[in-house]
Amino acid sequence: MSEPEGRAEGRLDYGSDPSQYGELSLPEGDPRGVVVVIHGGFWKAAYDASLGRPLAAALVARGWAAWNLEYRRVGAGGGAGGGAPATFDDVAAGIDHLAGLGLDLTTVVALGHSAGGHLAAWAATRGRDGWPQRVPVTAVVSQAGVLDLRSADADGLGDGAVRALLGHAATAADAPYDPIQRVPAGVPVWCVHGRDDDVVPPSQSAAYVQAARAAGGEAELVEVDGDHFVVIDPDSPAWTRIVGILDTLG
């Protein structure tokens, strides 16, 4: 792996577990900022960081540094060992690992899809409940995010994925893990959601934005044509909308 200007690139471990790593990709020249790519898959071990690689490549092509973050997840097989709080510990540690990589961290955007959108929104507020926050998130782009754990649990999203993550039915006591219970985030949040999403309903994003604004936060609902996955297709108009949001940040 090359080390331009003293900065590491490629797969970098932030812990000893096989799932505690990120993939750092750098553009030519100085990056516009750093985008932390957090993949989805309902926090399940069956899904991994390969989902984020096309987005990371597209971001690097537009001048961003991309940190494609892996974390411990729920279920059997490779990537297991997650759930609350381990998954959250990993996301916090993975973002903070950026502090030692020689990057300009003035702009750090958390970009996450589905369960990754949940973790991206959570990451912006992680310092409130004792998680370390050496590297603050300065903006969030949630792509079809699971932003209301109680509603998602009640609706049975992901075949009980919320209960598997938490280890029990979601309640008000799970506020440390639940983005909608943590509004306002304190940073701008864009919730990009496909109108025809039948995996994570658009109401998840709409409810979050409404709650965030009611709490005095800066949040915007961006509705796009398409399903749950259109927002992670770099060739889609939905991705063009996301790129447009990022262009306002760096």
Side-chain angles (χ1 to χ4, degrees):
M1 299 296 178
S2 63
E3 295 186 357
E5 301 177 7
R7 298 173 300 189
E9 189 173 9
R11 174 174 167 147
L12 304 171
D13 294 336
Y14 63 83
S16 59
D17 189 272
S19 292
Q20 292 174 324
Y21 70 89
E23 297 168 343
L24 180 64
S25 303
L26 299 173
E28 296 292 332
D30 293 331
R32 301 167 66 177
V34 181
V35 179
V36 181
V37 179
I38 309 178
H39 72 83
F42 283 117
W43 314 280
K44 296 180 180 180
Y47 303 95
D48 62 22
S50 63
L51 293 170
R53 288 173 190 154
L55 304 189
L59 291 165
V60 169
R62 296 191 62 86
W64 294 89
W67 179 232
N68 185 32
L69 187 61
E70 188 58 284
Y71 50 91
R72 285 174 290 175
R73 305 173 305 285
V74 178
T87 293
F88 299 84
D89 293 344
D90 285 2
V91 172
I95 294 174
D96 281 352
H97 193 72
L98 290 167
L101 301 185
L103 298 166
D104 182 347
L105 301 176
T106 304
T107 300
V108 178
V109 183
L111 170 78
H113 176 238
S114 194
H118 158 263
L119 293 170
W122 171 84
T125 66
R126 68 192 190 276
R128 298 177 189 172
D129 288 288
W131 276 279
Q133 188 173 258
R134 294 176 64 201
V135 178
V137 168
T138 60
V140 174
V141 180
S142 168
Q143 304 162 288
V146 183
L147 301 175
D148 181 346
L149 293 185
R150 289 176 292 180
S151 175
D153 184 30
D155 291 343
L157 300 190
D159 295 324
V162 172
R163 295 193 185 197
L165 174 72
L166 299 174
H168 53 257
T171 71
D174 295 305
Y177 306 115
D178 192 358
I180 202 169
Q181 296 191 66
R182 303 176 67 75
V183 294
V187 301
V189 180
W190 285 267
C191 297
V192 186
H193 218 119
R195 295 183 179 91
D196 299 322
D197 192 333
D198 60 1
V199 177
V200 176
S203 58
Q204 282 279 317
S205 288
Y208 177 87
V209 169
Q210 182 179 17
R213 288 180 171 177
E218 185 178 352
E220 181 176 346
L221 177 63
V222 180
E223 295 181 295
V224 295
D225 291 333
D227 61 10
H228 186 61
F229 300 101
V230 69
V231 291
I232 56 170
D233 177 358
D235 296 322
S236 72
W239 180 251
T240 300
R241 292 287 298 277
I242 292 168
V243 166
I245 293 167
L246 294 174
D247 285 344
T248 70
L249 299 173

